[in-house]
Amino acid sequence: MATTAELFEEPFVADEYIERLVWRTPGGGSRGGPEAFDPKRLLEEFVNHIQELQIMDERIQRKVEKLEQQCQKEAKEFAKKVQELQKSNQIKEAADIIQKLHLIAQELPFDRFSEVKSKIASKYHDLECQLIQEFTSAQRRGEISRMREVAAVLLHFKGYSHCVDVYIKQCQEGAYLRNDIFEDAAILCQRVNKQVGDIFSNPETVLAKLIQNVFEIKLQSFVKDQLEECRKSDAEQYLKNLYDLYTRTTNLSSKLMEFNLGTDKQTFLSKLIKSIFISYLENYIEVETGYLKSRSAMILQRYYDSKNHQKRSIGTGGIQDLKERIRQRTNLPLGPSIDTHGETFLSQEVVVNLLQETKQAFERCHRLSDPSDLPRNAFRIFTILVEFLCIEHIDYALETGLAGIPSSDSRNANLYFLDVVQQANTIFHLFDKQFNDHLMPLISSSPKLSECLQKKKEIIEQMEMKLDTGIDRTLNCMIGQMKHILAAEQKKTDFKPEDENNVLIQYTNACVKVCAYVRKQVEKIKNSMDGKNVDTVLMELGVRFHRLIYEHLQQYSYSCMGGMLAICDVAEYRKCAKDFKIPLVLQLFDTLHALCNLLVVAPDNLKQVCSGEQLANLDKNILHSFVQLRADYRSARLARHFS
């Protein structure tokens, strides 16, 4: 077929075409050719070539028909487009005419021109409806330019706002297909923001109206469905949903702030948010505090139930206040001592749960409270934390711990109050951290700051007073326990042996047991407290420990060997005092050790020893009291040397 096409030349001449075909065919030449003339072969070539021409003719014909159809179609489309443009122009012209007539008709008296005015109004309405319908169709076809033309015409009609409403309605068709309505709304507004300027002459007004429609219809309906279901039945879920929905709504508002919405878009968006949530935010803090109280009470009750413990009444009012004042001034245990079986009734898990609930409440309060109400609402949450954490849990544990401290003359008393101190200190740190991290930012610039600080100060002082009372009574019990050990283990013959020559110089059994007990208590105090509190308590224990040993040594009479043994005991006590790491305590035992030298020094050297560095500043009565403990004190020689 390609060969056949090559035979065509412009201009086409049939005789020349046949001549070219003959010459190209083998055996077609009459003379001079390489092959002799072959009529059969030439006839066969003609027949075949005619068939090829027929096939070519059919193909060309089909192509021609197709081109003709395409040309007719394009002609119709062009004619239609021209017709539409003409029609569009007639619409514009008609709209301009009817608009002017409508304005003129407004000035005509009704009694004389009622029929004319009615016809103009009818035509005005019909044309307005046609324009809106045309705008609707153009929007569905996605013809932005046509939408812009119709919108420009409708701008001078009363129905222009309806045109905007149609646009807003159709924009939202199929826009909410995801599970996240807030993300859908953001994407919708971004899409409309890109095209609204190409359609309307006042794009910021149209976009603002779309956003208003999204908030007041779509979001408000969604929020209502999410909150009303659990508002009365599940306070916890209601508060979580409210916080989540409000947060997501404000986040959406922040995204919309990048668009041009007119002059004061911040106020505009804030009003939209308020219109959705106002009925929920008005009584938010009541729901919050009610839930927090019930939740906190449940956490505490669940804990005490797990301990199979029925909370005892601490008591309030005049009698309890009187008991408290008496206990603070006298350090006397008021009421019977109870056995806590080593239970502190303080739980870090309970504390963490209470603080976590309060932290979430502070976060919701920050987000959901009106700025003017924020400090007051935060203070209400803080008072609930104080009530359940500080009073119902910590203070109750302190009162129970105080009641569990045995009297100072109890034997083999188990002292668990230091465990209470240790846990209370940990809880105080957690409480203080939440106060600084979560409450302070909410009240720092309001009068409620001083009120919160004062309340915190009062609570801590009250707790510290009870801790101090408990520690003081615990130290008394420790000293009482040491007294029992000394009374049971120390014998008079320890310091005045019957056989002076058969005494091994070492410390007594009473000293061994007292030192072992003291070291154990020192370690417990160090583990139970921190900072300066450790030094303060250890110094107090050390002073009392020294006084106990000092008074204990005053009860005995000492032979020479007995005095040596006493010196060994005090040396061991002094070694024990070093564990306190308190200079004053070590100094006291150094002085006591020097005093014990008076029990063994030769009479002639007494005055020299008493004037030594460690004893020179002591009262002479103290020195005399130790010298009087010597078994040989009444000898004339000793009395003469010391007088």
Side-chain angles (χ1 to χ4, degrees), residues 257-287:
M257 281 291 291
E258 66 185 58
F259 303 143
N260 181 13
L261 304 177
T263 54
D264 193 356
K265 51 188 174 182
Q266 178 67 57
T267 303
F268 169 69
L269 292 170
S270 297
K271 286 182 178 179
L272 291 179
I273 295 174
K274 186 176 181 180
S275 68
I276 295 177
F277 291 96
I278 186 169
S279 63
Y280 306 107
L281 299 182
E282 285 177 337
N283 69 333
Y284 149 71
I285 195 60
E286 304 302 328
V287 179

mmCIF file of all heavy atoms in Angstrom, residues 257-287:
data_model
loop_
_atom_site.group_PDB
_atom_site.id
_atom_site.type_symbol
_atom_site.label_atom_id
_atom_site.label_comp_id
_atom_site.label_asym_id
_atom_site.label_seq_id
_atom_site.Cartn_x
_atom_site.Cartn_y
_atom_site.Cartn_z
ATOM 1 N N MET A 257 -7.107 31.858 61.740
ATOM 2 C CA MET A 257 -6.616 33.221 61.936
ATOM 3 C C MET A 257 -5.714 33.681 60.795
ATOM 4 O O MET A 257 -5.507 34.874 60.590
ATOM 5 C CB MET A 257 -5.850 33.310 63.264
ATOM 6 C CG MET A 257 -6.732 33.405 64.492
ATOM 7 S SD MET A 257 -7.600 34.982 64.592
ATOM 8 C CE MET A 257 -6.218 36.087 64.915
ATOM 9 N N GLU A 258 -5.194 32.746 60.016
ATOM 10 C CA GLU A 258 -4.293 33.128 58.913
ATOM 11 C C GLU A 258 -5.072 33.662 57.714
ATOM 12 O O GLU A 258 -4.486 34.250 56.809
ATOM 13 C CB GLU A 258 -3.448 31.930 58.494
ATOM 14 C CG GLU A 258 -4.251 30.808 57.882
ATOM 15 C CD GLU A 258 -3.421 29.566 57.571
ATOM 16 O OE1 GLU A 258 -2.796 29.016 58.505
ATOM 17 O OE2 GLU A 258 -3.399 29.181 56.389
ATOM 18 N N PHE A 259 -6.393 33.483 57.708
ATOM 19 C CA PHE A 259 -7.211 33.953 56.588
ATOM 20 C C PHE A 259 -7.671 35.391 56.828
ATOM 21 O O PHE A 259 -7.764 35.855 57.960
ATOM 22 C CB PHE A 259 -8.437 33.053 56.397
ATOM 23 C CG PHE A 259 -8.103 31.608 56.172
ATOM 24 C CD1 PHE A 259 -8.898 30.602 56.703
ATOM 25 C CD2 PHE A 259 -6.991 31.246 55.429
ATOM 26 C CE1 PHE A 259 -8.598 29.270 56.503
ATOM 27 C CE2 PHE A 259 -6.678 29.912 55.220
ATOM 28 C CZ PHE A 259 -7.479 28.921 55.759
ATOM 29 N N ASN A 260 -7.997 36.061 55.743
ATOM 30 C CA ASN A 260 -8.563 37.411 55.825
ATOM 31 C C ASN A 260 -10.068 37.301 56.053
ATOM 32 O O ASN A 260 -10.813 36.912 55.161
ATOM 33 C CB ASN A 260 -8.270 38.186 54.541
ATOM 34 C CG ASN A 260 -8.819 39.596 54.591
ATOM 35 O OD1 ASN A 260 -9.203 40.094 55.653
ATOM 36 N ND2 ASN A 260 -8.864 40.250 53.450
ATOM 37 N N LEU A 261 -10.494 37.660 57.260
ATOM 38 C CA LEU A 261 -11.912 37.543 57.616
ATOM 39 C C LEU A 261 -12.521 38.899 57.948
ATOM 40 O O LEU A 261 -13.610 38.968 58.528
ATOM 41 C CB LEU A 261 -12.074 36.612 58.819
ATOM 42 C CG LEU A 261 -11.495 35.200 58.671
ATOM 43 C CD1 LEU A 261 -11.654 34.423 59.964
ATOM 44 C CD2 LEU A 261 -12.170 34.469 57.524
ATOM 45 N N GLY A 262 -11.824 39.966 57.627
ATOM 46 C CA GLY A 262 -12.346 41.284 57.973
ATOM 47 C C GLY A 262 -11.447 41.956 58.988
ATOM 48 O O GLY A 262 -10.288 41.599 59.167
ATOM 49 N N THR A 263 -12.017 42.913 59.682
ATOM 50 C CA THR A 263 -11.207 43.747 60.576
ATOM 51 C C THR A 263 -10.780 43.030 61.853
ATOM 52 O O THR A 263 -9.601 42.870 62.118
ATOM 53 C CB THR A 263 -11.993 45.018 60.928
ATOM 54 O OG1 THR A 263 -13.277 44.639 61.445
ATOM 55 C CG2 THR A 263 -12.174 45.900 59.701
ATOM 56 N N ASP A 264 -11.726 42.567 62.667
ATOM 57 C CA ASP A 264 -11.394 41.986 63.976
ATOM 58 C C ASP A 264 -11.721 40.498 63.991
ATOM 59 O O ASP A 264 -12.717 40.064 64.567
ATOM 60 C CB ASP A 264 -12.157 42.719 65.075
ATOM 61 C CG ASP A 264 -11.626 42.380 66.456
ATOM 62 O OD1 ASP A 264 -10.729 41.524 66.533
ATOM 63 O OD2 ASP A 264 -12.113 42.946 67.446
ATOM 64 N N LYS A 265 -10.875 39.711 63.345
ATOM 65 C CA LYS A 265 -11.166 38.278 63.243
ATOM 66 C C LYS A 265 -11.012 37.559 64.579
ATOM 67 O O LYS A 265 -11.640 36.529 64.821
ATOM 68 C CB LYS A 265 -10.284 37.617 62.183
ATOM 69 C CG LYS A 265 -8.796 37.887 62.320
ATOM 70 C CD LYS A 265 -8.063 37.339 61.103
ATOM 71 C CE LYS A 265 -6.586 37.715 61.127
ATOM 72 N NZ LYS A 265 -5.876 37.227 59.912
ATOM 73 N N GLN A 266 -10.154 38.097 65.464
ATOM 74 C CA GLN A 266 -9.981 37.481 66.783
ATOM 75 C C GLN A 266 -11.291 37.512 67.562
ATOM 76 O O GLN A 266 -11.728 36.508 68.122
ATOM 77 C CB GLN A 266 -8.889 38.224 67.555
ATOM 78 C CG GLN A 266 -8.651 37.691 68.968
ATOM 79 C CD GLN A 266 -8.059 36.300 68.964
ATOM 80 O OE1 GLN A 266 -7.018 36.088 68.382
ATOM 81 N NE2 GLN A 266 -8.715 35.351 69.590
ATOM 82 N N THR A 267 -11.934 38.657 67.594
ATOM 83 C CA THR A 267 -13.228 38.785 68.280
ATOM 84 C C THR A 267 -14.283 37.936 67.596
ATOM 85 O O THR A 267 -15.107 37.278 68.265
ATOM 86 C CB THR A 267 -13.664 40.258 68.292
ATOM 87 O OG1 THR A 267 -12.651 41.040 68.918
ATOM 88 C CG2 THR A 267 -14.974 40.425 69.039
ATOM 89 N N PHE A 268 -14.277 37.942 66.262
ATOM 90 C CA PHE A 268 -15.252 37.166 65.493
ATOM 91 C C PHE A 268 -15.175 35.675 65.832
ATOM 92 O O PHE A 268 -16.189 35.030 66.134
ATOM 93 C CB PHE A 268 -14.996 37.396 64.002
ATOM 94 C CG PHE A 268 -15.741 36.471 63.082
ATOM 95 C CD1 PHE A 268 -17.115 36.548 62.935
ATOM 96 C CD2 PHE A 268 -15.054 35.491 62.360
ATOM 97 C CE1 PHE A 268 -17.800 35.689 62.082
ATOM 98 C CE2 PHE A 268 -15.722 34.629 61.511
ATOM 99 C CZ PHE A 268 -17.102 34.728 61.370
ATOM 100 N N LEU A 269 -13.970 35.127 65.823
ATOM 101 C CA LEU A 269 -13.801 33.697 66.107
ATOM 102 C C LEU A 269 -14.088 33.382 67.574
ATOM 103 O O LEU A 269 -14.652 32.332 67.892
ATOM 104 C CB LEU A 269 -12.381 33.268 65.732
ATOM 105 C CG LEU A 269 -12.064 33.276 64.227
ATOM 106 C CD1 LEU A 269 -10.578 33.074 63.991
ATOM 107 C CD2 LEU A 269 -12.862 32.208 63.494
ATOM 108 N N SER A 270 -13.710 34.280 68.475
ATOM 109 C CA SER A 270 -13.978 34.066 69.900
ATOM 110 C C SER A 270 -15.468 33.991 70.168
ATOM 111 O O SER A 270 -15.935 33.168 70.981
ATOM 112 C CB SER A 270 -13.348 35.195 70.729
ATOM 113 O OG SER A 270 -11.946 35.191 70.595
ATOM 114 N N LYS A 271 -16.236 34.842 69.490
ATOM 115 C CA LYS A 271 -17.692 34.808 69.665
ATOM 116 C C LYS A 271 -18.287 33.502 69.147
ATOM 117 O O LYS A 271 -19.228 32.955 69.742
ATOM 118 C CB LYS A 271 -18.319 35.998 68.941
ATOM 119 C CG LYS A 271 -18.101 37.329 69.648
ATOM 120 C CD LYS A 271 -18.793 38.463 68.901
ATOM 121 C CE LYS A 271 -18.620 39.780 69.649
ATOM 122 N NZ LYS A 271 -19.270 40.914 68.936
ATOM 123 N N LEU A 272 -17.736 33.011 68.047
ATOM 124 C CA LEU A 272 -18.224 31.737 67.508
ATOM 125 C C LEU A 272 -17.974 30.591 68.494
ATOM 126 O O LEU A 272 -18.844 29.737 68.719
ATOM 127 C CB LEU A 272 -17.547 31.438 66.172
ATOM 128 C CG LEU A 272 -17.927 32.350 64.994
ATOM 129 C CD1 LEU A 272 -17.155 31.944 63.748
ATOM 130 C CD2 LEU A 272 -19.429 32.287 64.730
ATOM 131 N N ILE A 273 -16.767 30.575 69.077
ATOM 132 C CA ILE A 273 -16.443 29.533 70.053
ATOM 133 C C ILE A 273 -17.346 29.643 71.264
ATOM 134 O O ILE A 273 -17.876 28.641 71.770
ATOM 135 C CB ILE A 273 -14.963 29.642 70.469
ATOM 136 C CG1 ILE A 273 -14.050 29.350 69.278
ATOM 137 C CG2 ILE A 273 -14.650 28.680 71.612
ATOM 138 C CD1 ILE A 273 -12.578 29.579 69.546
ATOM 139 N N LYS A 274 -17.543 30.864 71.723
ATOM 140 C CA LYS A 274 -18.381 31.080 72.897
ATOM 141 C C LYS A 274 -19.813 30.632 72.642
ATOM 142 O O LYS A 274 -20.465 30.053 73.523
ATOM 143 C CB LYS A 274 -18.355 32.563 73.280
ATOM 144 C CG LYS A 274 -19.081 32.873 74.576
ATOM 145 C CD LYS A 274 -18.916 34.342 74.941
ATOM 146 C CE LYS A 274 -19.634 34.643 76.262
ATOM 147 N NZ LYS A 274 -19.501 36.067 76.640
ATOM 148 N N SER A 275 -20.328 30.879 71.426
ATOM 149 C CA SER A 275 -21.704 30.495 71.114
ATOM 150 C C SER A 275 -21.899 28.984 71.191
ATOM 151 O O SER A 275 -22.989 28.507 71.504
ATOM 152 C CB SER A 275 -22.079 31.002 69.723
ATOM 153 O OG SER A 275 -21.340 30.314 68.711
ATOM 154 N N ILE A 276 -20.834 28.232 70.907
ATOM 155 C CA ILE A 276 -20.924 26.765 70.962
ATOM 156 C C ILE A 276 -20.862 26.262 72.397
ATOM 157 O O ILE A 276 -21.621 25.376 72.803
ATOM 158 C CB ILE A 276 -19.787 26.127 70.136
ATOM 159 C CG1 ILE A 276 -19.941 26.461 68.654
ATOM 160 C CG2 ILE A 276 -19.754 24.606 70.341
ATOM 161 C CD1 ILE A 276 -18.813 25.932 67.788
ATOM 162 N N PHE A 277 -19.977 26.838 73.203
ATOM 163 C CA PHE A 277 -19.660 26.248 74.504
ATOM 164 C C PHE A 277 -20.239 26.998 75.706
ATOM 165 O O PHE A 277 -20.043 26.554 76.835
ATOM 166 C CB PHE A 277 -18.136 26.156 74.673
ATOM 167 C CG PHE A 277 -17.479 25.154 73.774
ATOM 168 C CD1 PHE A 277 -16.907 25.548 72.573
ATOM 169 C CD2 PHE A 277 -17.447 23.813 74.121
ATOM 170 C CE1 PHE A 277 -16.302 24.617 71.739
ATOM 171 C CE2 PHE A 277 -16.841 22.873 73.298
ATOM 172 C CZ PHE A 277 -16.269 23.286 72.093
ATOM 173 N N ILE A 278 -20.928 28.105 75.490
ATOM 174 C CA ILE A 278 -21.331 28.931 76.622
ATOM 175 C C ILE A 278 -22.185 28.177 77.630
ATOM 176 O O ILE A 278 -22.017 28.321 78.846
ATOM 177 C CB ILE A 278 -22.070 30.210 76.129
ATOM 178 C CG1 ILE A 278 -22.350 31.122 77.317
ATOM 179 C CG2 ILE A 278 -23.335 29.860 75.374
ATOM 180 C CD1 ILE A 278 -22.814 32.502 76.914
ATOM 181 N N SER A 279 -23.082 27.325 77.146
ATOM 182 C CA SER A 279 -23.961 26.600 78.070
ATOM 183 C C SER A 279 -23.202 25.557 78.885
ATOM 184 O O SER A 279 -23.646 25.164 79.968
ATOM 185 C CB SER A 279 -25.098 25.920 77.300
ATOM 186 O OG SER A 279 -24.571 24.948 76.397
ATOM 187 N N TYR A 280 -22.057 25.134 78.381
ATOM 188 C CA TYR A 280 -21.250 24.140 79.101
ATOM 189 C C TYR A 280 -20.221 24.804 80.019
ATOM 190 O O TYR A 280 -19.855 24.237 81.052
ATOM 191 C CB TYR A 280 -20.533 23.230 78.099
ATOM 192 C CG TYR A 280 -21.458 22.577 77.107
ATOM 193 C CD1 TYR A 280 -21.481 22.994 75.772
ATOM 194 C CD2 TYR A 280 -22.339 21.570 77.497
ATOM 195 C CE1 TYR A 280 -22.333 22.407 74.855
ATOM 196 C CE2 TYR A 280 -23.201 20.978 76.579
ATOM 197 C CZ TYR A 280 -23.193 21.407 75.264
ATOM 198 O OH TYR A 280 -24.045 20.828 74.371
ATOM 199 N N LEU A 281 -19.756 25.988 79.619
ATOM 200 C CA LEU A 281 -18.718 26.653 80.405
ATOM 201 C C LEU A 281 -19.280 27.412 81.601
ATOM 202 O O LEU A 281 -18.558 27.687 82.557
ATOM 203 C CB LEU A 281 -17.918 27.615 79.515
ATOM 204 C CG LEU A 281 -17.173 26.981 78.341
ATOM 205 C CD1 LEU A 281 -16.385 28.040 77.588
ATOM 206 C CD2 LEU A 281 -16.245 25.878 78.820
ATOM 207 N N GLU A 282 -20.559 27.767 81.532
ATOM 208 C CA GLU A 282 -21.157 28.544 82.626
ATOM 209 C C GLU A 282 -21.066 27.821 83.960
ATOM 210 O O GLU A 282 -20.812 28.436 84.997
ATOM 211 C CB GLU A 282 -22.619 28.877 82.305
ATOM 212 C CG GLU A 282 -22.772 29.979 81.268
ATOM 213 C CD GLU A 282 -24.216 30.247 80.912
ATOM 214 O OE1 GLU A 282 -25.067 29.345 81.112
ATOM 215 O OE2 GLU A 282 -24.511 31.350 80.429
ATOM 216 N N ASN A 283 -21.293 26.516 83.937
ATOM 217 C CA ASN A 283 -21.250 25.756 85.199
ATOM 218 C C ASN A 283 -20.106 24.751 85.219
ATOM 219 O O ASN A 283 -20.137 23.774 85.966
ATOM 220 C CB ASN A 283 -22.580 25.028 85.426
ATOM 221 C CG ASN A 283 -22.778 23.897 84.427
ATOM 222 O OD1 ASN A 283 -22.235 23.952 83.317
ATOM 223 N ND2 ASN A 283 -23.538 22.895 84.805
ATOM 224 N N TYR A 284 -19.081 25.005 84.374
ATOM 225 C CA TYR A 284 -17.968 24.057 84.290
ATOM 226 C C TYR A 284 -17.328 23.792 85.648
ATOM 227 O O TYR A 284 -17.102 22.644 86.029
ATOM 228 C CB TYR A 284 -16.903 24.565 83.309
ATOM 229 C CG TYR A 284 -15.522 24.120 83.694
ATOM 230 C CD1 TYR A 284 -15.135 22.781 83.557
ATOM 231 C CD2 TYR A 284 -14.607 25.007 84.291
ATOM 232 C CE1 TYR A 284 -13.882 22.349 83.965
ATOM 233 C CE2 TYR A 284 -13.361 24.583 84.696
ATOM 234 C CZ TYR A 284 -13.008 23.257 84.531
ATOM 235 O OH TYR A 284 -11.782 22.820 84.958
ATOM 236 N N ILE A 285 -17.012 24.854 86.388
ATOM 237 C CA ILE A 285 -16.253 24.678 87.628
ATOM 238 C C ILE A 285 -17.048 23.905 88.668
ATOM 239 O O ILE A 285 -16.461 23.197 89.504
ATOM 240 C CB ILE A 285 -15.785 26.050 88.186
ATOM 241 C CG1 ILE A 285 -14.705 25.853 89.249
ATOM 242 C CG2 ILE A 285 -16.976 26.824 88.731
ATOM 243 C CD1 ILE A 285 -13.473 25.161 88.774
ATOM 244 N N GLU A 286 -18.369 23.999 88.606
ATOM 245 C CA GLU A 286 -19.194 23.219 89.541
ATOM 246 C C GLU A 286 -19.074 21.730 89.238
ATOM 247 O O GLU A 286 -18.959 20.899 90.147
ATOM 248 C CB GLU A 286 -20.665 23.662 89.454
ATOM 249 C CG GLU A 286 -20.896 25.142 89.695
ATOM 250 C CD GLU A 286 -20.382 25.598 91.053
ATOM 251 O OE1 GLU A 286 -20.412 24.785 92.003
ATOM 252 O OE2 GLU A 286 -19.936 26.751 91.160
ATOM 253 N N VAL A 287 -19.099 21.408 87.967
ATOM 254 C CA VAL A 287 -18.938 20.000 87.571
ATOM 255 C C VAL A 287 -17.535 19.521 87.930
ATOM 256 O O VAL A 287 -17.350 18.412 88.443
ATOM 257 C CB VAL A 287 -19.186 19.832 86.052
ATOM 258 C CG1 VAL A 287 -18.994 18.375 85.637
ATOM 259 C CG2 VAL A 287 -20.584 20.305 85.691
#
